[in-house]
C-alpha cells in the first residue's frame, strides 16, 4: 500500500511532516479537480482520460509490485504527468464556469 501511495502522490517517509502535509493537500487538490469534472472529461477528453487511467493502473501494478526502491521517484512522473494535464483542463473549465476566463 505504501508503494501505491508513493505512486499517486509525492508523500515520502523521508520527508518532514510539514512537507508531507503540504504534498498531501497538493495531491488531493489535483485529484479533487479531476473528480469534480469527471463527467466533462469523460465527454470531451474521453480517450485521454481512458489512457491516463490505463497508464496509472499499469504503472501501479508493475512498479509497485517490483522489488525496486521504496520511493519510486523516477517512475512517479510517468503516471502523474497525465493527471496534471487532466487537472489543468479541469481548472480551466472551473474558471470558465465561474466567469473568470472568457
Amino acid at each position: 500500500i505504501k508503494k501505491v501511495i508513493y505512486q499517486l502522490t509525492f508523500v515520502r517517509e523521508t520527508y518532514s511532516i510539514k512537507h508531507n502535509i503540504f504534498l498531501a493537500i497538493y495531491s488531493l487538490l489535483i485529484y479533487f479537480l479531476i473528480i469534480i469534472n469527471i463527467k466533462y472529461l469523460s465527454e470531451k477528453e474521453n480517450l485521454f482520460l481512458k489512457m491516463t487511467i490505463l497508464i496509472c493502473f499499469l504503472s501501479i501494478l508493475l512498479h509497485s509490485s517490483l522489488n525496486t526502491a521504496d520511493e519510486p521517484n523516477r517512475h512517479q512522473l510517468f503516471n502523474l504527468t497525465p493527471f496534471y494535464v487532466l487537472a489543468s483542463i479541469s481548472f480551466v473549465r472551473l474558471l470558465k464556469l465561474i466567469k473568470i476566463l472568457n
Side-chain angles (χ1 to χ4, degrees):
I1 292 179
K2 204 165 46 168
K3 288 184 179 184
V4 173
I5 292 171
Y6 290 158
Q7 284 286 326
L8 297 175
T9 66
F10 286 109
V11 175
R12 298 287 181 264
E13 274 182 352
T14 55
Y15 294 166
S16 70
I17 298 212
K18 289 179 185 178
H19 194 170
N20 280 333
I21 290 172
F22 170 78
L23 292 173
I25 293 169
Y26 175 76
S27 299
L28 288 174
L29 181 62
I30 289 171
Y31 294 118
F32 176 74
L33 283 170
I34 293 171
I35 290 169
I36 63 171
N37 286 305
I38 195 73
K39 184 177 179 185
Y40 174 80
L41 292 171
S42 65
E43 292 171 0
K44 301 293 183 184
E45 303 291 337
N46 190 21
L47 181 61
F48 187 69
L49 180 66
K50 287 179 181 178
M51 291 303 293
T52 301
I53 292 170
L54 182 65
I55 287 170
C56 182
F57 177 74
L58 291 176
S59 177
I60 288 171
L61 186 66
L62 295 173
H63 295 301
S64 295
S65 65
L66 295 175
N67 289 328
T68 58
D70 284 334
E71 299 179 1
N73 291 330
R74 65 183 175 272
H75 305 299
Q76 179 184 34
L77 291 177
F78 178 69
N79 66 345
L80 285 181
T81 304
F83 281 120
Y84 288 153
V85 174
L86 289 174
S88 300
I89 294 169
S90 298
F91 185 68
V92 168
R93 180 172 185 272
L94 189 63
L95 291 178
K96 286 181 180 178
L97 286 175
I98 57 176
K99 307 283 189 221
I100 292 176
L101 290 177
N102 291 331

